[in-house]
Amino acid sequence: NAGVMQNPRHLVRRRGQEARLRCSPMKGHSHVYWYRQLPEEGLKFMVYLQKENIIDESGMPKERFSAEFPKEGPSILRIQQVVRGDSAAYFCASSPQGGGNTEAFFGQGTRLTVV
Amino acid sequence: RKEVEQDPGPFNVPEGATVAFNCTYSNSASQSFFWYRQDCRKEPKLLMSVYSSGNEDGRFTAQLNRASQYISLLIRDSKLSDSATYLCVVTSLVNAGNMLTFGGGTRLMVKP
């Protein structure tokens, strides 16, 4: 039973390029969360998705960032026209359902470096 | 005011010491509570759930006080391997989903 899989583990992009981060939730999990962590800082919530549905995107920057979780395939966090300040670790977590006493499980993260 | 607040530390303790962390949350409708552990540059991992009756797992004890809206984690007989950042997590219903809100983490350093 594979855990949450994120790829790539490390991603280097030049300023202005696009970054695509992928997250495959654990089997049977239909809820996905994306968090960003800057060096020496805590986890910052970005977006919460169900299959084909954005539940909460209050943590997403208004421009350049988007996320999706299609019916088939992984969840994608997309960052357009990356800037140096986007360099961070991006973690994805999944949970089996909404509501109730359900914990989330994290992937190993994607470390984005913008040069 | 942050939704979930923790003392960032660091807590520097000798091996064998007992150390306690607290976490306060602002949403009285919060449903579930957890402690996660994060090692440097790695993903957070679930340490334990927190129940109203309190729960213990080996050297770790978690307590929840709903009236005062705080959660605690007690670590007895600290080991060097306990050095990490401990994250308090609170969940609440949002649009029929289950929002996880993380505290900023408390850093623990156990020294020989």
Side-chain angles (χ1 to χ4, degrees):
Chain A
N1 185 16
V4 179
M5 303 299 292
Q6 287 189 250
N7 67 82
R9 293 285 305 280
H10 299 274
L11 182 62
V12 179
R13 283 287 177 266
R14 295 186 185 281
R15 280 179 293 171
Q17 290 184 318
E18 178 179 287
R20 280 187 179 235
L21 288 61
R22 285 175 289 277
C23 170
S24 296
M26 285 180 72
K27 189 175 181 180
H29 286 195
S30 58
H31 293 241
V32 165
Y33 312 80
W34 284 95
Y35 294 85
R36 176 164 65 175
Q37 188 169 36
L38 295 168
E40 305 301 322
E41 293 192 13
L43 287 164
K44 294 289 190 286
F45 168 74
M46 298 184 75
V47 63
Y48 171 25
L49 308 111
Q50 280 180 340
K51 289 274 188 183
E52 300 183 282
N53 203 15
I54 295 176
I55 299 182
D56 189 316
E57 56 181 344
S58 58
M60 288 278 271
K62 292 287 184 277
E63 297 176 350
R64 303 187 298 108
F65 285 72
S66 62
E68 62 176 1
F69 188 15
K71 188 176 180 181
E72 302 291 337
S75 175
I76 306 284
L77 178 67
R78 184 181 175 208
I79 311 172
Q80 295 178 291
Q81 298 176 315
V82 296
V83 300
R84 288 244 171 92
D86 296 333
S87 296
Y90 291 82
F91 289 102
C92 162
S94 73
S95 68
Q97 63 185 49
N101 194 26
T102 54
E103 67 266 30
F105 297 88
F106 279 81
Q108 292 181 302
T110 293
R111 276 155 186 82
L112 172 66
T113 303
V114 180
V115 297
Chain B
R1 183 186 170 189
K2 291 182 182 177
E3 287 189 55
V4 181
E5 293 205 60
Q6 295 182 249
D7 180 344
F11 284 59
N12 294 298
V13 303
E15 268 188 293
T18 295
V19 61
F21 309 135
N22 285 333
C23 165
T24 58
Y25 60 96
S26 60
N27 184 356
S28 59
S30 296
Q31 291 204 310
S32 309
F33 308 89
F34 305 95
W35 283 101
Y36 279 72
R37 169 190 169 135
Q38 186 176 27
D39 292 283
C40 186
R41 298 181 65 77
K42 294 196 173 178
E43 76 276 21
K45 292 187 178 177
L46 178 68
L47 180 65
M48 58 198 304
S49 302
V50 188
Y51 304 118
S52 297
S53 54
N55 49 303
E56 190 173 308
D57 183 1
R59 298 182 292 109
F60 299 83
T61 300
Q63 297 270 349
L64 166 63
N65 185 321
R66 281 191 183 270
S68 301
Q69 295 182 204
Y70 80 80
I71 307 146
S72 64
L73 177 67
L74 182 78
I75 306 175
R76 290 180 297 278
D77 188 23
S78 301
K79 311 290 184 193
L80 294 176
S81 57
D82 294 334
S83 298
T85 297
Y86 291 84
L87 302 164
C88 170
V89 181
V90 173
T91 72
S92 54
L93 281 176
V94 54
N95 298 333
N98 195 27
M99 175 62 77
L100 276 69
T101 302
F102 281 78
T106 297
R107 192 168 170 203
L108 172 65
M109 298 180 71
V110 181
K111 303 207 182 277

